[in-house]
Structure formats: C-alpha cells, structure tokens
Amino acid sequence: MPALISPVAQTDQARAALPALTMPLEEAIETQRSMRRLTPDPVDDELVIRLIELALKAPTGGNQQNWEFVVVKDRALKERLGRLNRAAWRIYGGFGRVAMRDRPAMLRILDAVDWQAQHFAEIPVVVVACLRGMRLPFPPLAASSYYGSIYPSVQNLLLAARAAGLGAGVITLPLWSTWLARRALGLPWNVTPCAVVPLGWPRGRYGPTTRRPAGDVIHVDRYGHQPYRQTR
C-alpha cells in the first residue's frame, strides 16, 4: 500500500513546482501591460495563492491590512459577473468607439476590451480585490485614503503575475453596481469590492509600453513649472 502524503507535504511539493518569480523589477515594470485576451487553460491554485501573498506585502493605511480577495473560479459566478461587465460595457464601449473613431490604436484597445467582455466566463481565474470597513462619503479625502489601501496591493498582484508570465489587468466595469456585485459574491455589507483582476495565460505577448516622457508630467514646486520637459 503506497504511503499517504500529508496535505502539508502536497502543498510544499506544489509550491516547489511553481515558476520562480525572479524577473528583475525594472523589467517587470517596463513590460507590464493590460493583457485582456487570455486562454481558458487552468492556473494552478498554488500560483494564485502565491500572487496574493505578494499582494499582501503592499503598504496599507494605518497598517490595517483590511484586504479581502475573492478568487472566482466557478463558471456560473463568472457568467454572473460577466453579465454585469457587459451591461456597463455596452454603454462605455459605445461612447468609446464614437470618441476614438479616428484613433486606430485606441480602437484596437477597445476591441481587446470587447473580446474580454464576450469571453469573460472562459477566463480561468477572476480575482476581486475588496476592502473591509465602510468608506465615508465625506470629506473627499476619505475616498482617496480608503482606496489607497487596496491599489498598492493590486499593483503588487499585477507585477507578480507579470513575473510569472500570466496575463492580467485591472477592470472595474463589473462593479458598476456595488450592490449587485456584493450580492453576486456574497459579500457582507462592510466589505466593498474595489477592483477586478482577470488572470490567465496570455494569448498575446508582453512587451514595452509607450508612455509620455516623464518630463511632460513632472511639475517642480508648482503646476506648470516643468524644467525637465523636452522641447520639440
């Protein structure tokens, strides 16, 4: 009779088989982009856990560590979130195509967003990043302070996914109705869904992104004083 392997040993074996996340930080940042077209191939549970472990290393306001992550794998639930996503996309996408009709690069992005909306239930893992605790409606600073505790961890998650070769990106369209999203996910009243991160193996390839020069967005001491801006 073969010897039984303990759950702890099984977990250790699964963790040892994970890809080493040794990509240099600068490379991960330079090549990170939203990867919306994903294959339906499964993503190992231990890898998802490892990514969230790294997400939890992010700073959080007051060191409250009030994150909660809902990992959605059930197809029926993904279809439910997908319907919420498509309801918002029908409006946003329609306006977007009119506004960007003369910008082919943006239309390609909208095509990718539409692809994701139509194939949402096929995405192997959807991570919903949440915060525990009520968000005060006033003063405006309260909203900035509140969400400032979740987005650093989401960025950690994205960088870790990039290092693992996974495709990922942040979306919020499925959360257009917090009430409906909370109901779909079974969230209590004091846990707020803040961001959705679809995870999977990318159909495309990562690569360097095009961004404005840093000098164009740096203002020293006061807005409009841009000594590092390049003259053209």
Side-chain angles (χ1 to χ4, degrees):
M1 180 177 181
L4 295 176
I5 302 176
S6 72
V8 173
Q10 290 176 335
T11 299
D12 289 343
Q13 290 176 1
R15 183 61 61 89
L18 294 180
L21 307 184
T22 57
M23 177 178 290
L25 178 61
E26 187 172 8
E27 180 183 351
I29 293 174
E30 289 278 2
T31 60
Q32 181 190 32
R33 63 172 61 195
S34 293
M35 302 294 283
R36 299 178 178 88
R37 292 185 173 95
L38 307 173
T39 74
D41 300 333
V43 178
D44 192 278
D45 288 349
E46 288 297 327
L47 180 54
V48 176
I49 293 170
R50 181 57 182 149
L51 299 184
I52 293 178
E53 286 176 345
L54 294 172
L56 298 181
K57 298 299 183 180
T60 175
N63 196 33
Q64 294 183 69
Q65 303 185 37
N66 56 333
W67 316 277
E68 303 285 352
F69 291 88
V70 181
V71 178
V72 180
K73 299 171 60 180
D74 179 72
R75 186 180 178 95
L77 183 50
K78 286 186 289 186
E79 288 175 346
R80 193 169 175 181
L81 292 176
R83 287 194 293 271
L84 291 174
N85 186 73
R86 286 189 295 276
W89 171 243
R90 279 192 289 270
I91 299 173
Y92 173 80
F95 282 119
R97 290 192 183 281
V98 172
M100 302 298 174
R101 59 185 179 275
D102 297 324
R103 299 176 61 183
M106 286 302 302
L107 290 175
R108 287 194 295 272
I109 292 175
L110 292 177
D111 286 342
V113 176
D114 183 71
W115 189 96
Q116 185 180 71
Q118 304 309 321
H119 296 82
F120 199 88
E122 299 168 20
I123 296 168
V125 178
V126 176
V127 178
V128 183
C130 309
L131 280 176
R132 190 177 357 95
M134 293 301 295
R135 179 177 68 84
L136 299 177
F138 187 84
L141 175 64
S144 178
S145 298
Y146 184 79
Y147 290 111
S149 285
I150 192 65
Y151 280 105
S153 65
V154 171
Q155 176 66 350
N156 272 17
L157 178 63
L158 294 176
L159 288 173
R162 170 66 192 99
L166 283 168
V170 181
I171 63 174
T172 55
L173 289 180
L175 308 180
W176 65 267
S177 170
T178 303
W179 183 80
L180 289 175
R182 183 181 279 119
R183 184 178 179 185
L185 296 167
L187 298 175
W189 65 270
N190 64 334
V191 174
T192 301
C194 302
V196 178
V197 180
L199 279 175
W201 302 107
R203 291 179 181 269
R205 292 181 295 177
Y206 278 106
T209 53
T210 302
R211 297 290 186 265
R212 296 167 60 189
D216 286 3
V217 300
I218 296 174
H219 306 258
V220 179
D221 294 330
R222 67 184 185 278
Y223 186 84
H225 181 218
Q226 296 181 282
Y228 308 121
R229 188 168 189 171
Q230 299 175 6
T231 57
R232 297 179 179 82

